[in-house]
Amino acid sequence: MSWWDDWGPALPVEGGLVASGLVRGTRIVTDARGVGAEIITRMVERSNQGIVTRGRAYARSGQTISMTLEPGRIHALVQGSSAQPYSVTIACTVPPAHRQRLIDAFRHALSNPAAGIPARGSPALRDEIDACELLSGVPITAKCTCPYGAVCKHCVALAYIAADRLDGSPVAVATFFGVRDEDLRDALDGPIPDAPVEVERFEKKQQARLARTLARLDASGAPTRDELLQRAARILAPPPTVRSQLDLEATE
Ligand SMILES: [Zn+2]
């Protein structure tokens, strides 16, 4: 197969996976946060605008036939223009310290860690997971069986589909980082871990989020002052770990 074999229109997929929330409009990383946002960002950094646009179109139209998540590995079959779907893999080596950070975050944020990792977490839990910066400094590889060679539209499509799953589900993040329910229960005998994030790091991150949101609001029309204040309050609200650390500092 040569490179031009993949230039035709993609063959339609019935019941394919769609990253609906993440590919609306022209923004590259919209509402994706944390692990998923990081994966999208890394793929986008290594592609050109045409590849990103086509990858997003694939994620929107459901060209991903199936996806599996396992520790350090996301695999998918993505249907392109040739009869055989492409096999796409995004992978990393999970550093044990990062895995531990996630266990600590679960133990810290869940009122009953013994009940296991929830499929859909509260916004506070998701903030806590995001604040762990689990992929910070971790190399991510992407491979596809299509003839393109570099990071291709199929890799970009998978990044969006994976982000849709990861950023909506603590259990999906746990799977990707090799954390099981047993790991939370095994750790129960130990002391409750310290807050996994420092206040300073949290503040920097929130400021960056606020700046991004303001830029987006700016681009999408003039929001009212109340809308802006409401958004700002939501973004700047600290997750439980940071809140408890701030409370401690206040009483010292
Ligand atoms: Zn490809």
Side-chain angles (χ1 to χ4, degrees), residues 33-251:
R33 306 181 312 172
V35 172
E38 185 74 25
I39 292 173
I40 292 175
T41 304
R42 302 282 191 92
M43 293 303 114
V44 167
E45 277 169 3
R46 286 151 61 188
S47 346
N48 61 44
Q49 184 56 47
I51 292 293
V52 173
T53 303
R54 288 195 288 276
R56 285 163 57 88
Y58 269 34
R60 194 184 297 123
S61 62
Q63 292 305 117
T64 306
I65 298 169
S66 61
M67 178 179 75
T68 52
L69 272 178
E70 40 187 276
R73 188 172 180 272
I74 304 161
H75 178 259
L77 291 177
V78 179
Q79 181 66 60
S81 50
S82 73
Q84 198 69 16
Y86 299 118
S87 170
V88 190
T89 307
I90 292 176
C92 71
T93 302
V94 174
H98 292 213
R99 183 176 167 276
Q100 188 59 45
R101 241 187 254 172
L102 182 58
I103 294 174
D104 288 350
F106 280 131
R107 287 200 54 217
H108 203 269
L110 294 174
S111 53
N112 180 16
I117 301 160
R120 302 201 70 80
S122 63
L125 173 60
R126 288 196 224 161
D127 279 345
E128 188 134 1
I129 293 172
D130 292 351
C132 289
E133 298 187 347
L134 294 166
L135 286 175
S136 175
V138 178
I140 300 175
T141 60
K143 273 193 303 196
C144 178
T145 53
C146 84
Y148 184 72
V151 170
C152 60
K153 60 189 170 189
H154 314 107
C155 297
V156 171
L158 174 55
Y160 275 95
I161 298 291
D164 206 38
R165 174 87 66 88
L166 286 164
D167 289 338
S169 165
V171 84
V173 175
T175 302
F176 188 56
F177 283 86
V179 173
R180 303 154 305 164
D181 288 347
E182 301 92 278
D183 297 316
L184 266 55
R185 284 194 284 270
D186 289 350
L188 275 183
D189 296 335
I192 294 279
D194 286 337
V197 292
E198 298 128 36
V199 172
E200 201 181 317
R201 196 152 63 103
F202 164 77
E203 283 173 351
K204 263 198 213 122
K205 212 174 153 67
Q206 298 311 77
Q207 280 161 12
R209 268 182 76 189
L210 184 59
R212 280 201 301 273
T213 301
L214 289 174
R216 288 211 302 263
L217 285 171
D218 209 27
S220 67
T224 66
R225 187 170 174 277
D226 281 352
E227 277 168 358
L228 274 178
L229 288 174
Q230 276 169 15
R231 290 249 196 162
R234 257 204 317 273
I235 287 168
L236 295 175
T241 44
V242 173
R243 211 154 48 224
S244 57
Q245 220 173 324
L246 287 169
D247 290 346
L248 275 181
E249 280 173 11
T251 53

